[in-house]
């Protein structure tokens, strides 16, 4: 009787202590056949993939399985997998850069891991040790180091992904999941080039995110539901959507980027402004880096504040707008030159003003990413 009780207690203990993710358990079975590396000058974003991938399976019963680096292959999923039916999934976007010194660097990867962990909580996907996952990603990039372009105009895009694989049509927290990472060498995000200004379509009839929703997480559902509006923007001759929110038409994000406005504000101060993290804005790594740089420079006011379309139109009429740009991992910064709003084309004088500040951020961040400047933001592979 006593022995039986002890065994039962031991069994319960095992169930309560699922296996944690461990980079030290990583099994590497690399590809033996290799694809030809593409010309970095002709890359189209996210269309070419490296020879290997990282996979880590999870279940409620067993916790995290051993991580594997293995040849890139198609996934085998049950047709009832929760990620396919209820969008129980998330992803991240980060890059590896080959520096002018030949060394490979990641840029502030811990911020990506923090955001991925927050997204996992919001989607009821399993938690993970951020440092252990980052070490597994570092190993994958090490295995694929020849795929990091020998170019300061290109990089290796890293796409960590976590999906629910519960084979059930019940709308519930999944008991099975798969974390995988794929790599893709990339050039400029926008086909028009890495630093050509873009035009935006602003219309309140479509909303990217809302209070209490998932706009502050990096979930596929946020992106899939934006494509319809993006298509309408293209039909109207604009390249991206300027997402508005609320009755006062608050400016929130640009396409898949955070937004910045450099202007003379209502009080006559030079100000760099971006919308606050109020739950509908994605906390971008580039966004945070721009705010950190600008505050460190101390040359102008830096604000996380609400900006409405009426604020912007009034500032344009009074010649108070200097530069407006999007910011994100894919493009770093992207100048904005035109907004179509209520049937009128608003000219944004970004390019006429240099664009001095936009270019300064681009150069500063590029210098760190490609090793021209030392920084603790850059993590060597």
């Amino acid at each position: 009787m006593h022995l039986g009780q002890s065994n039962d207690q031991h069994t319960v203990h095992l169930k309560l202590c699922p296996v944690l993710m461990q980079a030290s358990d990583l099994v590497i079975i690399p590809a033996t056949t290799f694809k030809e590396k593409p010309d970095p000058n002709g890359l189209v974003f996210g269309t070419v993939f490296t020879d290997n991938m990282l996979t880590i399976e999870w279940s409620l019963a067993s916790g995290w399985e051993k991580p594997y680096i293995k040849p890139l292959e198609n996934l085998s999923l049950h047709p009832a997998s929760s990620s396919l039916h209820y969008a129980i999934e998330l992803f991240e976007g980060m890059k590896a850069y080959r520096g002018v010194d030949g060394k490979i660097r990641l840029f502030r990867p811990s911020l990506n891991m923090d955001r991925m962990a927050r997204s996992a909580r919001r989607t009821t996907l399993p938690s993970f040790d951020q440092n252990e996952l980052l070490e597994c990603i570092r190993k994958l990039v090490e295995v694929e180091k020849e795929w990091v372009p020998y170019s300061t105009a290109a990089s290796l895009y890293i796409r960590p992904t976590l999906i629910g694989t519960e084979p059930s049509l019940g709308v519930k927290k999944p008991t099975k999941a798969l974390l995988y990472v794929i790599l893709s060498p990339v050039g400029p995000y926008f086909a028009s080039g890495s630093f050509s200004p873009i035009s935006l379509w602003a219309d309140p009839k479509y909303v990217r995110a809302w209070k209490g929703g998932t706009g502050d997480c990096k979930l596929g559902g946020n992106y899939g539901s934006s494509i319809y509006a993006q298509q309408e923007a293209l039909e109207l001759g604009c390249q991206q959507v300027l997402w508005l929110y609320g009755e006062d038409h608050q400016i929130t994000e640009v396409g898949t980027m955070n937004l910045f406005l450099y202007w003379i504000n209502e009080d006559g101060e030079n100000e760099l402004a971006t919308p606050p993290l109020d739950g509908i804005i994605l906390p971008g790594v580039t966004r945070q880096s721009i705010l950190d740089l600008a505050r460190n420079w101390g040359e102008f006011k830096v604000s996380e504040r609400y900006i409405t379309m009426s604020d912007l139109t009034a500032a344009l009429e009074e010649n108070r707008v200097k530069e407006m740009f999007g910011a994100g991992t894919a493009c770093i910064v992207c100048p904005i030159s035109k907004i179509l709003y209520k049937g009128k084309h608003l000219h944004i004088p970004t390019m006429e003003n240099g664009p001095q500040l936009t270019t300064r951020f681009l150069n500063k961040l590029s210098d760190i990413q490609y090793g021209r400047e030392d920084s603790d933001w850059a993590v060597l592979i």
Side-chain angles (χ1 to χ4, degrees), residues 40 43-48 95 147 149 153-157 184-188 330 370:
L43 291 168
V44 177
F45 184 84
T47 57
V48 177
K95 286 181 174 180
W147 279 93
S155 54
L156 185 67
Y157 186 78
S184 174
V186 295
Y370 289 100

Side-chain angles (χ1 to χ4, degrees), residues 30 86 108 349:
Y86 308 123
R108 306 189 82 175

Side-chain angles (χ1 to χ4, degrees), residues 151-381:
S151 165
T152 53
S155 54
L156 185 67
Y157 186 78
I158 303 168
R159 174 55 68 93
T161 310
L162 180 54
I163 64 174
T165 54
E166 172 91 12
S168 166
L169 295 179
V171 182
K172 59 180 181 176
K173 180 179 178 178
T175 61
K176 290 186 176 181
L178 172 66
L179 194 159
Y180 65 91
V181 182
I182 53 178
L183 308 176
S184 174
V186 295
Y189 183 68
F190 295 106
S192 58
S194 60
F195 208 60
S196 299
I198 59 168
S199 57
L200 308 178
W201 176 55
D203 193 307
K205 69 178 178 178
Y206 299 121
V207 179
R208 190 196 81 90
W210 50 91
K211 297 285 177 69
T214 59
D216 57 347
C217 297
K218 207 162 177 67
L219 313 181
N222 295 343
Y223 293 77
S225 59
S226 74
I227 295 170
Y228 188 79
Q230 170 65 18
Q231 284 301 115
E232 193 162 335
L234 291 171
E235 288 168 9
L236 292 166
C238 300
Q239 289 158 287
Q240 293 283 328
V241 178
L242 177 59
W243 297 103
L244 306 179
Y245 180 76
E247 295 298 316
D248 54 353
H249 297 182
Q250 292 168 28
I251 294 168
T252 63
E253 294 195 5
V254 184
T256 59
M257 299 178 285
N258 293 120
L259 177 127
F260 283 87
L261 174 65
Y262 184 48
W263 67 340
I264 299 169
N265 68 15
E266 303 89 340
D267 298 322
E269 304 164 301
N270 284 345
E271 179 183 55
L272 178 68
T274 192
L277 300 180
D278 62 354
I280 66 171
I281 302 295
L282 187 73
V285 175
T286 308
R287 175 190 182 276
Q288 188 59 52
S289 302
I290 287 170
L291 290 172
D292 291 343
L293 286 174
R295 285 169 177 150
N296 186 54
W297 292 340
E299 298 170 18
F300 43 79
K301 187 174 184 178
V302 180
S303 302
E304 295 175 71
R305 53 163 286 182
Y306 293 106
I307 308 160
T308 66
M309 283 304 296
S310 60
D311 293 334
L312 179 63
T313 51
L316 286 169
E317 288 168 7
E318 296 164 13
N319 295 316
R320 291 190 283 111
V321 174
K322 297 185 176 186
E323 300 176 40
M324 195 173 186
F325 58 93
T329 296
C331 64
I332 306 182
V333 292
C334 182
I336 296 161
S337 60
K338 187 173 70 174
I339 299 173
L340 176 57
Y341 176 62
K342 292 185 175 178
K344 292 183 180 179
H345 290 279
L346 306 178
H347 177 69
I348 313 298
T350 305
M351 302 311 285
E352 290 90 326
N353 286 308
Q356 291 183 4
L357 190 60
T358 311
T359 304
R360 186 177 174 188
F361 283 126
L362 176 67
N363 292 341
K364 183 73 171 179
L365 292 171
S366 295
D367 285 348
I368 293 170
Q369 290 163 350
Y370 289 100
R372 289 184 289 260
E373 181 179 323
D374 287 333
S375 170
D376 56 7
W377 288 355
V379 177
L380 286 170
I381 291 293

Side-chain angles (χ1 to χ4, degrees), residues 3-208:
L3 265 175
Q5 286 176 338
S6 176
N7 285 338
D8 288 344
Q9 288 168 355
H10 182 61
T11 303
V12 170
H13 177 71
L14 284 176
K15 286 181 178 176
L16 292 175
C17 298
V19 177
L20 300 175
M21 186 184 292
Q22 297 281 351
S24 58
D25 292 337
L26 180 65
V27 177
I28 303 177
I29 310 170
T32 52
T33 57
F34 307 103
K35 290 175 281 196
E36 187 178 344
K37 310 294 187 296
D39 179 351
N41 297 316
L43 291 168
V44 177
F45 184 84
T47 57
V48 177
F49 297 94
T50 68
D51 297 308
N52 295 282
M53 67 191 298
L54 169 71
T55 65
I56 319 173
E57 293 191 31
W58 175 88
S59 69
L60 183 62
S62 306
W64 290 101
E65 305 290 341
K66 287 183 178 181
Y68 279 85
I69 290 175
K70 60 184 182 181
L72 183 77
E73 62 182 10
N74 293 339
L75 301 180
S76 178
L77 295 175
H78 191 282
S81 291
S82 54
S83 56
L84 302 177
H85 294 267
Y86 308 123
I88 302 177
E89 59 82 52
L90 62 91
F91 68 95
E92 263 306 321
M94 50 202 287
K95 286 181 174 180
Y97 307 85
R98 189 177 299 277
V100 292
D101 55 0
K103 295 176 181 176
I104 297 171
R105 294 170 174 82
L106 303 177
F107 181 74
R108 306 189 82 175
S110 61
L111 294 182
N112 294 95
M113 295 296 98
D114 287 345
R115 186 171 64 187
M116 187 171 177
R118 290 196 301 271
S119 296
R121 281 196 297 274
R122 186 64 174 83
T123 49
T124 71
L125 283 162
S127 61
F128 54 90
D129 187 301
Q130 297 171 42
N131 291 326
E132 296 296 317
L133 176 57
L134 186 55
E135 178 60 18
C136 290
I137 292 172
R138 196 189 68 78
K139 289 283 190 184
L140 178 62
V141 175
E142 203 173 75
V143 167
E144 299 287 59
K145 60 180 182 289
E146 285 306 308
W147 279 93
V148 183
Y150 286 81
S151 165
T152 53
S155 54
L156 185 67
Y157 186 78
I158 303 168
R159 174 55 68 93
T161 310
L162 180 54
I163 64 174
T165 54
E166 172 91 12
S168 166
L169 295 179
V171 182
K172 59 180 181 176
K173 180 179 178 178
T175 61
K176 290 186 176 181
L178 172 66
L179 194 159
Y180 65 91
V181 182
I182 53 178
L183 308 176
S184 174
V186 295
Y189 183 68
F190 295 106
S192 58
S194 60
F195 208 60
S196 299
I198 59 168
S199 57
L200 308 178
W201 176 55
D203 193 307
K205 69 178 178 178
Y206 299 121
V207 179
R208 190 196 81 90

